[in-house]
Amino acid sequence: MSDKRLVYMDNQATTRVDPRVVEAMLPWFSEKYGNAASRNHAFGWEAEKAVEAARRTLAEGIGAGPRELIFTSGSTEANNLAILGAARMYRERGRHLVTCATEHKAVLDPMLALQARGWEVTVLGVDADGMIDLDELRAALRDDTVLVSIMHGNNEVGTIHPVAEIGAICHERGVLYHCDATQTVGKEDLDVERDGIDLLSFSAHKIYGPKGVGALYVRRRRPRVRLEPIVYGGGHERGFRSGTLNVPGIVGFARALELCLEDRAGEQARIAALRDRLQERLLGELDYVHLNGHPERRLACNLNLSFEFVEGESLLMGLDGVAVSSGSACTSASLEPSHVLRAMGRGDDLAHSSIRFSLGRFNTEEEVDYVAERTIAAVRRLREMSPLYEMALEGIDLNKVEWNRH
Ligand SMILES: *Cc1c(COP(=O)(O)O)cnc(C)c1O
């Protein structure tokens, strides 16, 4: 075991459950364990009452009405229900869908599944900052387009898409707009009415709530959105999603959003200041470091950097005890670089050398300084072993070197 201290800076993967959320959830495991669908006794009634109170809090938090919220097991399921559910429901209207190359796999994979079953999918590209082009979106919409799915804040590079503009473009053409807002609900300014969003996914565990619970907003007016269910049995959630409700999870989800919204601007400013401090130190003390993501329009918590001449996985090992993510996900036997960085035109080298630091409510300035020092030391140590870095320092343009190939 290493005696190095542990620091958690992977808050875009998941967050610690806030102790106040745990406290709100506890009675719903032990004393108040009723099934919210039990209509015959007080155990059921009080569970249903708690679920409906949570539904109101959560709906209000995104500018929706309580009857527009469907509880799910998280954003993965919410995204699947939105995309598969709308595509199947409106298959007679058209079979064309639009999404974006930097979406989470929980959007891209259901899109691919539909493509394999006869739907046509247009995948919009992004610029070097990870931003879509609204004119490209306009041009992609056709008479048979039924749904656009474009996220709000990106989970890898933090770029924030202009959701209100996207919503307006979709509504002009009578196309439904689904937004994966898992990274922004409770953090960024968001309102489904004002922003013209018809379907919106979010999840408790990204906002200091428990894992395994999320929600899909489904618009009921102008237009009324209908979905074919993907889970059948019992007709819970007005038939959109059957299955016994996760009462403690739902109670915790609502408490978590409430806490985020109590001081949303203040908390985001504090997290952004920590992120900026980390960024300034790393960019100030190391050379050949590149910022991934939009320099201004980005999430307060996100810092995604590529450290040239350093392999991300080696850097992760050098940072043991510090929990961060790298841009190369270890899938099966191959090291596959991030599809997000690739879509932004980053070469495989820079994608492989990327690290995502994501800050949150429980990080401190002291932790930021510690992580900065550890990262600077680890990068320097790895570069000492890199002949490429040495050549770059000598002013040799590596792109012009004629490598001796065998
Ligand atoms: C975490 C995340 C998901 C998946 O959410 P789960 O609740 O873990 O299923 C989907 N989209 C984005 C943008 C995310 O960050």
Side-chain angles (χ1 to χ4, degrees):
M1 269 304 278
S2 136
D3 57 355
K4 295 205 175 90
R5 60 182 284 195
L6 297 176
V7 177
Y8 189 77
M9 273 196 198
D10 205 12
N11 288 280
Q12 287 186 279
T14 194
T15 55
R16 170 183 168 188
V17 182
D18 191 297
R20 294 166 290 181
V21 171
V22 175
E23 196 189 343
M25 291 173 70
L26 283 177
W28 302 96
F29 289 105
S30 45
E31 301 136 39
K32 310 178 179 187
Y33 46 80
N35 185 329
S38 296
R39 292 275 150 78
N40 305 316
H41 49 69
F43 289 86
W45 302 330
E46 74 175 349
E48 193 197 9
K49 218 172 126 194
V51 166
E52 293 318 313
R55 200 190 299 277
R56 279 193 298 278
T57 303
L58 289 160
E60 201 179 302
I62 58 166
R67 287 164 65 76
E68 298 179 302
L69 224 58
I70 307 300
F71 287 116
T72 66
S73 61
S75 278
T76 300
E77 187 191 333
N79 287 343
N80 273 267
L81 175 56
I83 294 163
L84 301 176
R88 290 172 185 161
M89 178 58 77
Y90 298 107
R91 60 176 17 121
E92 303 304 330
R93 187 188 288 178
R95 287 190 157 217
H96 178 238
L97 310 160
V98 177
T99 187
C100 161
T102 54
E103 291 294 315
H104 194 277
K105 293 285 182 181
V107 164
L108 292 176
D109 286 354
M111 288 281 181
L112 283 177
L114 287 168
Q115 200 171 34
R117 286 163 183 77
W119 274 266
E120 231 184 295
V121 180
T122 299
V123 182
L124 299 174
V126 294
D127 66 15
D129 295 331
M131 196 65 87
I132 60 155
D133 180 336
L134 294 177
D135 288 328
E136 269 179 43
L137 170 62
R138 273 186 205 97
L141 299 183
R142 320 189 310 210
D143 292 339
D144 63 340
T145 309
V146 292
L147 180 79
V148 166
S149 181
I150 294 176
M151 72 197 325
H152 193 194
N154 185 274
N155 50 296
E156 287 190 33
V157 296
T159 300
I160 297 176
H161 279 142
V163 284
E165 277 96 329
I166 296 169
I169 290 167
C170 292
H171 281 189
E172 225 167 79
R173 294 290 304 266
V175 175
L176 296 177
Y177 175 33
H178 167 247
C179 179
D180 178 350
T182 314
Q183 293 287 342
T184 53
V185 166
K187 298 168 186 172
E188 295 294 321
D189 187 22
L190 189 64
D191 183 303
V192 291
E193 238 12 271
R194 183 199 61 202
D195 298 336
I197 296 167
D198 301 306
L199 294 154
L200 178 138
S201 309
F202 60 122
S203 182
H205 77 100
K206 302 289 175 82
I207 59 170
Y208 314 98
K211 292 163 189 60
V213 58
L216 179 67
Y217 157 76
V218 185
R219 178 176 286 282
R220 275 174 68 88
R221 286 187 309 132
R222 290 177 294 119
R224 180 189 188 90
V225 179
R226 299 191 306 145
L227 301 173
E228 210 177 281
I230 54 175
V231 177
Y232 292 90
H236 307 73
E237 297 297 271
R238 288 181 293 110
F240 280 107
R241 200 274 195 177
S242 291
T244 301
L245 288 175
N246 174 358
V247 179
I250 289 165
V251 168
F253 189 10
R255 184 73 185 119
L257 183 60
E258 212 169 53
L259 291 170
C260 285
L261 295 179
E262 255 175 26
D263 181 28
R264 184 176 65 80
E267 172 160 66
Q268 292 309 302
R270 190 186 75 83
I271 291 171
L274 290 178
R275 186 272 315 274
D276 292 345
R277 183 181 178 96
L278 184 59
Q279 176 175 332
E280 274 159 32
R281 283 208 59 187
L282 294 176
L283 290 177
E285 294 179 45
L286 292 168
D287 51 8
Y288 296 100
V289 183
H290 307 268
L291 177 69
N292 298 313
H294 198 284
E296 286 105 37
R297 297 206 46 152
R298 60 175 166 156
L299 298 170
C301 64
N302 176 276
L303 181 62
N304 189 314
L305 299 173
S306 286
F307 300 91
E308 226 178 314
F309 314 112
V310 171
E311 221 274 305
E313 299 291 324
S314 315
L315 185 50
L316 283 191
M317 277 193 269
L319 286 176
D320 64 322
V322 177
V324 292
S325 286
S326 89
S328 41
C330 206
T331 35
S332 62
S334 69
L335 275 179
E336 207 178 277
S338 143
H339 71 281
V340 174
L341 294 173
R342 257 201 185 159
M344 290 160 58
R346 292 285 191 236
D348 281 2
D349 280 359
L350 280 184
H352 275 305
S353 74
S354 83
I355 297 284
R356 179 188 71 184
F357 303 87
S358 50
L359 293 104
R361 177 175 295 166
F362 301 106
N363 286 121
T364 63
E365 199 170 272
E366 196 218 337
E367 284 179 332
V368 164
D369 291 340
Y370 173 75
V371 169
E373 275 151 35
R374 288 283 308 277
T375 307
I376 291 162
V379 168
R380 285 190 179 142
R381 188 159 16 86
L382 289 166
R383 281 180 178 172
E384 269 167 27
M385 299 183 279
S386 160
L388 294 178
Y389 179 62
E390 214 162 282
M391 288 166 77
L393 286 187
E394 284 163 14
I396 298 168
D397 184 346
L398 294 174
N399 294 315
K400 298 213 178 96
V401 173
E402 296 221 3
W403 303 103
N404 215 345
R405 293 183 202 279
H406 299 279

